[in-house]
Amino acid sequence: MTLLEFDLNINRMTQVLSVQNLGKYYGETKAVDGINLSVEKGEIFGFLGPNGAGKTTTIRCIMDFIRPSFGKIAAFNLDSHLDSVQIKAKTGYLSGDVRIYENWTGQEHFRFIESMRGKSKILSKLIKDFDFDPKVKAKKLSSGGKQKLGIIMAFLSEPEMLILDEPTTALDPLLQNTVYDYILNFAREGSTVFMSSHNLHEVQKICSRVGIIKQGKIIAEESVEELRSKKIHVVKATFDSKVSMADFDLSGVEVFKESAGSLTLRIKGDINPVISKMHNYKLKDLEVSHASLEDIFMAYYER
Ligand code: ATP
């Protein structure tokens, strides 16, 4: 076996979800326009994007609820369409708009899933942790209650893969943390998680990698650590003398704020050219920080 074949085999072993050149057009609307993604076993992949970017459409294609206009999706090395039943048997899915039977109680929903997936070992813990009353009919539940029901249904079989469309919508911060704890635990045990989100903080908190989608195209795909720590710095400097702005007209450097004697810069990439220019002046104060994910997100979106 050559080294390349070995690498390919390792990839096949660890890659759980693969999306290749996926497109979904609705007439003139290019909801998803040729995206590529892959998610490894045990990874928590955050799929970030604004309203209408194409997140739900991608998730519906992955779940084989709608057929793509072009492209290929595989999960567990199985075809998302041809082998959809096998894939669904290993997948916990949470829809963006939780689909439930209004006349059923939570308990009836859980029994239905257990009839297909086998008895859950964690159902009573889930019910307790999410403070959920399983005897109430779904139609009587608040939107948060419905969300809890959807989450418990997605989690109860401890699936090998979780596909979650904005899982923390309508939940209070305490319950959001409960969702994060479960997701992190599942991933630690080897489950693979693909979740869409609007929420940068939750992505920063739990995801290992993030794909940013805008108008149907992936505009960035990186590890959260890489996005956060390497790429963008914010430098705040206060000077003792007047500064020539021409000194900081450097590639990748954007002037955020400028006021008498002080300057705030957003730097994409290497910070050394900026620091060298600062040697031309007497500094009163200097603060270098990593940009928040919010700054990074904006930097990508403005591009
Ligand atoms: P949100 O965060 O608001 O849920 P999203 O990123 O999930 O947004 P999608 O729901 O995938 O975005 O929508 C992507 C684009 O495709 C939007 O312009 C939307 O209007 C369009 N679209 C989605 N479904 C349909 C459909 N069934 N028919 C026509 N257009 C659609």
Side-chain angles (χ1 to χ4, degrees), residues 43-232:
E43 239 189 343
I44 306 174
F45 187 92
F47 197 39
L48 265 176
N51 292 122
K55 302 182 296 295
T56 299
T57 305
T58 303
I59 285 177
R60 290 203 175 126
C61 289
I62 292 173
M63 292 304 296
D64 193 42
F65 296 143
I66 52 173
R67 296 288 298 135
S69 307
F70 54 87
K72 236 184 126 183
I73 302 168
F76 308 104
N77 284 323
L78 299 167
D79 183 275
S80 67
H81 182 56
L82 300 174
D83 308 310
S84 141
V85 175
Q86 277 162 277
I87 294 173
K88 286 197 180 90
K90 298 174 171 208
T91 304
Y93 167 66
L94 175 72
S95 152
D97 50 337
V98 177
R99 306 283 168 93
I100 44 183
Y101 294 105
E102 297 285 334
N103 274 323
W104 279 11
T105 62
Q107 196 61 57
E108 283 169 308
H109 283 87
F110 305 147
R111 271 197 215 116
F112 178 68
I113 293 179
E114 286 186 320
S115 71
M116 294 181 293
R117 300 275 181 97
K119 190 149 178 57
S120 168
K121 293 191 202 104
I122 59 168
L123 180 57
S124 40
K125 181 168 164 30
L126 281 164
I127 289 172
K128 184 168 162 276
D129 289 348
F130 283 97
D131 191 21
F132 182 75
D133 184 349
K135 294 190 194 80
V136 173
K137 282 206 171 168
K139 63 180 167 202
K140 298 240 170 91
L141 294 171
S142 65
S143 56
K146 287 182 179 160
Q147 188 72 8
K148 290 187 209 177
L149 173 56
I151 288 167
I152 298 173
M153 288 197 290
F155 288 177
L156 67 80
S157 63
E158 301 176 79
E160 284 181 54
M161 178 166 78
L162 279 157
I163 306 286
L164 308 171
D165 198 352
E166 300 188 20
T168 54
T169 310
L171 296 184
D172 64 50
L174 263 179
L175 287 177
Q176 288 178 6
N177 277 331
T178 309
V179 173
Y180 303 149
D181 287 345
Y182 268 95
I183 290 177
L184 286 165
N185 228 2
F186 282 132
R188 242 176 260 127
E189 299 288 319
S191 296
T192 306
V193 184
F194 182 89
M195 57 179 271
S196 75
S197 179
H198 280 131
N199 185 334
L200 291 158
H201 297 286
E202 77 179 12
V203 165
Q204 191 168 10
K205 216 167 173 172
I206 63 165
C207 295
S208 37
R209 216 146 50 82
V210 57
I212 300 175
I213 183 169
K214 183 184 182 185
Q215 289 169 359
K217 289 187 188 289
I218 300 279
I219 54 167
E221 190 195 336
E222 292 187 71
S223 79
V224 167
E225 217 34 60
E226 208 174 3
L227 264 180
R228 204 156 30 135
S229 64
K230 283 198 202 137
K231 291 286 160 86
I232 300 177

